[in-house]
Amino acid sequence: MKKPKSPPMAYQAHPWHGVSAGESAPEVVTAYIEIVPTDALKYEIDKETGILMLDRPQQFSSQCPTLYGFIPQTYCGEQVAQRAADRTGRRDIQGDGDPMDICVLTEKSITSGNLLVRAVPIGGFRMIDGEEADDKILAVLESDLVYGEMQHVAQCPRAMVDRLKHYFLTYKQIPGEGKRRVEIAEVYDRPEALEVIRRSMKDYQRLYAPAAAPKASKTRRKKR
């Protein structure tokens, strides 16, 4: 009896490099969610494998009040750093070398990360961590029943903005060690958020696109 062929091996796309930021980016973006509000542990994507890994326990009792992750195929490099320098007047800023972080507001209870969502940016925090630009884009889940109609950060509940600011100003502090120099230099609105995302997409293309660009195929596929 002839042995049946094994099915072709399939691989999950790398959440940073193998997933698009979305056809409508930056107005509507795909976001990869690493942690959710109930997580007492900080999860982060492993850049080499694309597997969600445990980064560290949350050092304080505060937890991120929103879905939190990053926008695929973005990178905080020269253009993002230049925007931060122009807006703050500081000339010592560089990009943090990570994908663009994003917080996604939703009224739904999502219990675990490692998933993709579509989100509409409404603003952001220009966060400076030491000498690195570490922007946090604020967004709402597309079509969310409570937050979905928001278009600007001014429409977001002030308490939520304050909780997010407190979280990001403290979540990297390690008990027993010296205080880390982290500041939110600016809270910006949707137009600036779109500009920051555009720059992060250009930073990514500049760094990764030349190596990732596929070769043109000689065989033209028929339209389906």
Side-chain angles (χ1 to χ4, degrees):
M1 184 175 178
K2 198 171 183 180
K3 187 177 179 180
K5 293 183 179 179
S6 300
M9 188 172 291
Y11 296 92
Q12 179 176 308
H14 194 297
W16 186 13
H17 304 296
V19 178
S20 167
E23 293 182 359
S24 302
E27 285 78 10
V28 180
V29 300
T30 297
Y32 174 77
I33 303 303
E34 296 168 302
I35 63 175
V36 300
T38 54
D39 284 330
L41 302 171
K42 174 72 165 61
Y43 299 102
E44 193 166 290
I45 201 74
D46 178 63
K47 291 180 180 178
E48 183 176 349
T49 64
I51 297 173
L52 190 65
M53 64 179 289
L54 174 62
D55 182 43
R56 64 182 182 273
Q58 299 280 21
Q59 300 295 334
F60 294 93
S61 58
S62 62
Q63 294 166 288
C64 188
T66 68
L67 305 179
Y68 180 45
F70 62 84
I71 303 173
Q73 295 189 21
T74 60
Y75 181 78
C76 294
E78 292 182 6
Q79 292 212 26
V80 172
Q82 185 61 54
R83 187 66 172 182
D86 292 343
R87 301 282 290 198
T88 63
R90 289 178 51 177
R91 298 301 165 189
D92 58 343
I93 298 177
Q94 58 187 0
D96 70 355
D98 288 333
M100 180 58 63
D101 294 326
I102 187 169
C103 303
V104 182
L105 282 73
T106 174
E107 59 100 12
K108 298 298 183 183
S109 296
I110 297 177
T111 59
S112 62
N114 192 28
L115 77 156
L116 299 173
V117 302
R118 283 172 57 85
V120 180
I122 63 170
F125 297 154
R126 195 172 311 284
M127 195 166 108
I128 310 297
D129 183 0
E131 297 179 352
E132 295 181 340
D134 190 11
D135 287 63
K136 311 296 182 186
I137 299 299
L138 305 185
V140 297
L141 187 69
E142 186 181 50
S143 301
D144 188 83
L145 293 177
V146 173
Y147 295 101
E149 296 298 320
M150 292 183 183
Q151 290 292 318
H152 303 283
V153 71
Q155 297 172 303
C156 185
R158 181 58 183 267
M160 178 63 74
V161 174
D162 289 343
R163 288 177 64 194
L164 279 166
K165 289 169 72 174
H166 178 265
Y167 176 74
F168 287 120
L169 290 172
T170 59
Y171 82 125
K172 291 186 179 182
Q173 306 296 344
I174 300 177
E177 295 189 5
K179 190 173 182 180
R180 192 162 176 167
R181 186 162 62 94
V182 179
E183 65 173 303
I184 295 176
E186 179 185 6
V187 178
Y188 48 75
D189 213 339
R190 176 175 165 84
E192 181 63 16
L194 301 184
E195 175 63 20
V196 171
I197 297 171
R198 287 189 194 98
R199 286 172 174 257
S200 68
M201 293 171 70
K202 290 178 181 178
D203 277 335
Y204 180 90
Q205 289 293 319
R206 180 178 180 182
L207 184 63
Y208 290 106
K215 295 181 180 179
S217 174
K218 293 181 180 180
T219 304
R220 190 171 182 179
R221 295 184 63 186
K222 294 181 180 179
K223 294 183 179 180
R224 298 180 64 182

